[in-house]
Amino acid sequence: MNKRLLDKDVQQFILQHRQESPAKIALGKSPFSDVSSGELAMQIDGWQRSVNKLPTWGYSENIYYPPKLNLEQCSSEHTALIKQTLIRKGSKAIDLTGGFGVDSCYLAQHAETVIHCELNQDLSAIVAHNANILGVHNLECIAGDGIQILQSLADDSLDYIYIDPSRRVQHSKVFLLEDCEPNIIALQDLFFSKSEYVITKVSPLLDITQALRSLDQVSHVYVISLDNDCKELLFFQKRGFVGEPIISAIRLFKDQLQELSFTAEQERATLPHYKEPAGYLYEPDVSVVKAGAFKSVAKAFNLAKLHPHSHLYTSEQLHEEFPGKAFGITEVLPFGDLKRKRTFAKANITTRNFPLKVEDIRKKYKIQDGGNVYLFFTTDPQEKLIVVACERI
């Protein structure tokens, strides 16, 4: 950490050039003898990456930015805010894999104290500096191995353990919990000896059912999406919990939040209604799909499904609160009649439970991408292939 970067003259240079290409700055000559052009470029690149993902950091003065990998791996403020709501006020927490400290800083706003653990000494110092700038004074930054730090603490000295195990081991991506570092499956007993609750962030690609077989005492699973992009999968464990966890699909979009909660048993027991598309068509948000709420979402919003495997929904009355995209249906065609009865020069195409891929459809029917028309190629309740033409609401 080069503290010279925080001096007024250097900060002024960064402010004046922060809209420019970091690559251009890196290739140019630094006006400062004790600050390299690469260091200046890293700060400018850091601001550009943070301004939307981490606006509190991006619009605060004298923030020190780490290398881009740390910014790519850290949580966004939107998802960190969700985690903040999971802990009670006045509690004690530890972040075992602290990184750039976004989650730690948000947890600290509810907690009495938060310990931020980070192996990289420079990054630990950066987080400590930024926390002070942001007024987060109850964050204790310790440069060291989070597991070793946890082992040194007294039993039951914490309320919450937060961990985001690395999914890249020896330069290769891993997808099983037991293959991540640290191996949280092997550390369950240690965690519960120190804390009542454990919050684990894992890859959105991880299979929820498989993870629940590996993790004990999970009381809640959170699937979080931002603008229809699945960002995080959180497993919330409570010491001594017995029963079926609640699964919550949380959709963040346009500064709004929608939440749909259910259990796996409720999903299995739900008997959906099936009907042909009429009036309005609904495409669920990625958080709903990842959570597996295929029947629960239909029940919650009084919708009919088009087919058991299509995961598209319909209703004659508009449900504006649906967690996903809503479309007004303009026409429903048998797929076999598409070329003979109707031509679409330009349209947005989606396939659900359909034998052809989007690119094959575009090529065969000469339909360009874009425009205001949305075409859903799918299967109806009678197992017939259909095309649903819509307009986005």
Side-chain angles (χ1 to χ4, degrees):
M1 180 178 179
N2 185 356
K3 293 185 177 181
R4 176 73 173 93
L5 282 165
L6 299 169
D7 289 347
K8 188 175 181 180
D9 56 338
V10 181
Q11 286 291 303
Q12 187 63 33
F13 176 89
I14 293 169
L15 178 64
Q16 290 174 347
H17 296 272
R18 67 183 184 183
Q19 301 286 358
E20 296 181 17
S21 164
K24 176 184 174 184
I25 299 296
L27 292 172
K29 179 175 170 47
S30 171
F32 310 104
S33 59
D34 43 5
V35 177
S36 70
S37 56
E39 289 174 315
L40 293 171
M42 185 174 76
Q43 295 306 299
I44 290 169
D45 178 75
W47 179 84
Q48 292 176 1
R49 291 176 185 275
S50 299
V51 68
N52 291 318
K53 184 178 182 179
L54 307 169
T56 299
W57 278 253
Y59 288 103
S60 296
E61 296 182 357
N62 295 314
I63 292 293
Y64 196 111
Y65 295 102
K68 66 179 182 179
L69 180 63
N70 300 122
L71 289 172
E72 289 171 349
Q73 293 177 338
C74 76
S75 298
S76 69
E77 284 197 59
H78 295 87
T79 57
L81 188 58
I82 298 296
K83 286 170 224 141
Q84 181 191 80
T85 66
L86 303 184
I87 71 168
R88 62 176 180 264
K89 296 211 170 189
S91 54
K92 293 180 174 63
I94 188 170
D95 185 344
L96 296 178
T97 50
F100 188 47
V102 177
D103 288 323
S104 294
C105 284
Y106 268 88
L107 292 175
Q109 292 180 31
H110 268 199
E112 178 185 331
T113 57
V114 174
I115 300 172
H116 173 277
C117 308
E118 172 52 49
L119 274 169
N120 185 312
Q121 291 191 359
D122 276 349
L123 185 55
S124 181
I126 289 170
V127 173
H129 163 79
N130 289 340
N132 185 59
I133 292 292
L134 297 172
V136 183
H137 301 303
N138 59 334
L139 185 67
E140 180 185 0
C141 294
I142 302 178
D145 180 272
I147 301 302
Q148 293 179 6
I149 294 167
L150 181 66
Q151 289 171 331
S152 71
L153 300 178
D155 287 356
D156 292 316
S157 58
L158 298 166
D159 299 300
Y160 297 91
I161 291 173
Y162 175 71
I163 185 166
D164 178 7
S166 175
R167 296 176 286 278
R168 187 171 288 277
V169 179
Q170 295 180 350
H171 307 291
S172 298
K173 281 190 176 182
V174 296
F175 299 99
L176 298 176
L177 285 177
E178 52 267 35
D179 293 335
C180 296
E181 289 186 352
N183 180 351
I184 62 171
I185 306 301
L187 294 167
Q188 298 295 293
D189 289 343
L190 171 65
F191 290 167
F192 283 122
S193 71
K194 306 295 182 180
S195 174
E196 183 178 2
Y197 301 99
V198 181
I199 304 171
T200 303
K201 172 185 170 183
V202 301
S203 166
L205 298 176
L206 187 73
D207 181 79
I208 294 175
T209 302
Q210 185 180 34
L212 289 174
R213 293 193 192 105
S214 301
L215 291 172
D216 298 325
Q217 304 165 65
V218 177
S219 63
H220 217 125
V221 180
Y222 299 90
V223 184
I224 305 172
S225 72
L226 178 61
D227 296 331
N228 203 32
D229 182 11
C230 195
K231 293 294 187 181
E232 294 185 4
L233 191 54
L234 301 176
F235 289 85
F236 189 95
Q237 296 167 270
K238 180 180 179 181
R239 185 169 57 196
F241 177 81
V242 177
E244 190 171 31
I246 296 171
I247 303 173
S248 292
I250 299 177
R251 179 195 184 203
L252 303 173
F253 69 108
K254 298 180 180 178
D255 295 325
Q256 298 182 58
L257 183 151
Q258 288 179 310
E259 182 172 351
L260 174 68
S261 296
F262 64 102
T263 66
E265 176 56 34
Q266 289 170 341
E267 173 69 14
R268 287 190 294 269
T270 298
L271 298 175
H273 174 55
Y274 298 98
K275 65 176 291 186
E276 295 179 355
Y280 298 92
L281 188 77
Y282 304 89
E283 183 182 19
D285 182 75
V286 66
S287 62
V288 175
V289 175
K290 176 63 183 178
F294 303 118
K295 295 184 288 185
S296 298
V297 73
K299 179 180 178 181
F301 296 93
N302 194 28
L303 305 174
K305 290 195 74 178
L306 268 60
H307 186 278
H309 305 301
S310 293
H311 306 320
L312 292 171
Y313 306 83
T314 189
S315 69
E316 295 185 3
Q317 302 296 323
L318 176 62
H319 292 266
E320 295 181 353
E321 70 280 12
F322 178 80
K325 299 174 183 176
F327 303 85
I329 298 173
T330 57
E331 191 175 5
V332 180
L333 292 167
F335 175 60
D337 292 348
L338 180 61
K339 199 164 189 176
R340 181 168 56 88
K341 289 187 176 180
R342 191 78 156 83
T343 58
F344 295 93
K346 195 173 189 180
N348 303 277
I349 296 177
T350 299
T351 58
R352 291 286 184 272
N353 189 25
F354 197 80
L356 295 180
K357 296 180 179 179
V358 172
E359 53 266 31
D360 297 330
I361 293 171
R362 290 198 182 281
K363 184 177 181 180
K364 182 175 181 179
Y365 295 97
K366 297 180 173 56
I367 303 174
Q368 294 184 6
D369 187 23
N372 298 320
V373 176
Y374 291 79
L375 300 179
F376 287 85
F377 290 73
T378 189
T379 304
D380 74 4
Q382 285 74 45
E383 302 291 340
K384 295 177 181 177
L385 300 180
I386 60 172
V387 183
V388 186
C390 307
E391 293 178 350
R392 179 76 184 271
I393 296 175

